[in-house]
Amino acid sequence: AEFFEGVAPEFVSHLRQGRDDLARLRERADFAFAVSPYNQRELEAIGYGNVQHVPLVVDVHRLRSATPDDSFLAGLGLEGPLVLYVGQVLPHKRPDLLLSLYHVLSTYRVPEASLVVAGAGRLLGYRLAIARYAKQLNLYRCSLPGWVNDAQLAALYANASVFVTCSEHEGFCVPLLEAMAWEVPVVARRFAAIPETLGAGGLLLEPDDGPFVLAEAVDAVLEDAPTRRAMVAAGRE
């Protein structure tokens, strides 16, 4: 709930009510499933017993079999190395930090790089604020297309040079697996379930690393061929 303070007060109340309801249900549950060890630990911390980790089944081959919509990508009018984020545009995903790191990257490191932030913005006010922030930073090689279908998503993954997420709360994070399946190097930060989902398949930075460190990491992935090959191989494995 703390991520939404000052952004969506009514949503904060719903999240808090959901947490309270979850705690009350523990006495009625004989067992519980969690899709990640992180979620398992959260359930156990509020008193659930007999919590089993059942990994989320993700059919990455379904997305790989989609025919990429190259016309969608061409319509974005972007050139150069493509930095990609896929996920909801919500406060806990930290799209503001993603835009900041791209600002540093395109200003000081890789001026020809482009950024695509693909995902639904379920809170209109927040989505508009992120769009305004991108405009204020003069990120003319940045695109926020919103929700995309499988063909459009396949085109993005097929052409991405690096996948980056600045998210600070994930129960699993499916896009990490999608990126690795498309052999796209991943840069992320050590939050929630991200380390256990990513494993050795990407470059994992520390929680307090800011836009300059993130930009340096992305630059290293883009410019260092051996690093890219090692990350792609680890992601495939």
Side-chain angles (χ1 to χ4, degrees), residues 184-209:
V184 180
V186 175
V187 175
R189 292 191 299 162
R190 193 183 303 277
F191 278 103
I194 288 176
E196 60 204 36
T197 302
L198 185 60
L203 183 57
L204 194 63
L205 303 179
E206 295 307 312
D208 59 351
D209 285 337

Side-chain angles (χ1 to χ4, degrees), residues 207-236:
D208 59 351
D209 285 337
F212 283 90
V213 174
L214 287 162
E216 289 178 0
V218 173
D219 181 34
V221 173
L222 292 176
E223 301 297 331
D224 189 331
T227 296
R228 286 182 58 81
R229 288 194 294 269
M231 293 175 68
V232 167
R236 187 187 306 115

Side-chain angles (χ1 to χ4, degrees), residues 48 52 87 101 129 159:
Y48 276 77
Q52 301 296 319
L101 86 83
N159 290 274

Side-chain angles (χ1 to χ4, degrees), residues 58-65 157-158 163 174-186 198 201 231-232 234-237:
V58 180
D59 185 5
V60 294
H61 299 291
R62 178 190 61 81
L63 187 59
R64 284 300 308 256
S65 65
Y157 278 125
F163 181 95
V174 169
L176 295 178
L177 298 189
E178 294 176 344
M180 289 188 284
W182 281 92
E183 300 189 346
V184 180
V186 175
L198 185 60
M231 293 175 68
V232 167
R236 187 187 306 115
E237 178 64 25

Side-chain angles (χ1 to χ4, degrees), residues 20-109:
D20 291 343
D21 290 345
L22 184 64
R24 284 197 292 269
L25 284 169
R26 65 190 172 207
E27 302 302 328
R28 303 175 66 90
D30 295 315
F31 56 88
F33 293 140
V35 299
S36 67
Y38 173 79
N39 283 355
Q40 180 179 2
R41 292 191 297 271
E42 280 207 310
L43 287 172
E44 291 170 343
I46 59 176
Y48 276 77
N50 192 20
V51 182
Q52 301 296 319
H53 171 216
V54 180
L56 189 65
V57 177
V58 180
D59 185 5
V60 294
H61 299 291
R62 178 190 61 81
L63 187 59
R64 284 300 308 256
S65 65
T67 301
D69 184 355
D70 294 328
S71 63
F72 163 74
L73 196 63
L76 297 180
L78 303 177
E79 299 177 353
L82 175 58
V83 180
L84 176 64
Y85 163 80
V86 175
Q88 297 185 72
V89 181
L90 290 174
H92 62 292
K93 306 287 190 176
R94 294 302 308 275
D96 58 313
L97 181 56
L98 182 63
L99 294 181
S100 295
L101 86 83
Y102 173 65
H103 175 59
V104 175
L105 180 73
S106 59
T107 301
Y108 301 108
R109 295 283 184 166

Side-chain angles (χ1 to χ4, degrees), residues 100-168:
S100 295
L101 86 83
Y102 173 65
H103 175 59
V104 175
L105 180 73
S106 59
T107 301
Y108 301 108
R109 295 283 184 166
V110 191
E112 68 275 17
S114 298
L115 171 68
V116 173
V117 179
R122 299 165 67 184
L123 298 176
L124 177 60
Y126 185 74
R127 177 168 58 83
L128 293 176
I130 290 298
R132 286 195 299 270
Y133 186 45
K135 187 175 182 179
Q136 289 168 358
L137 293 176
N138 196 29
L139 304 180
Y140 63 93
R141 288 179 178 268
C142 171
S143 176
L144 293 85
W147 180 87
V148 295
N149 59 35
D150 280 357
Q152 294 167 336
L153 186 57
L156 290 171
Y157 278 125
N159 290 274
S161 301
V162 59
F163 181 95
V164 183
T165 177
C166 296
S167 180
E168 296 183 3

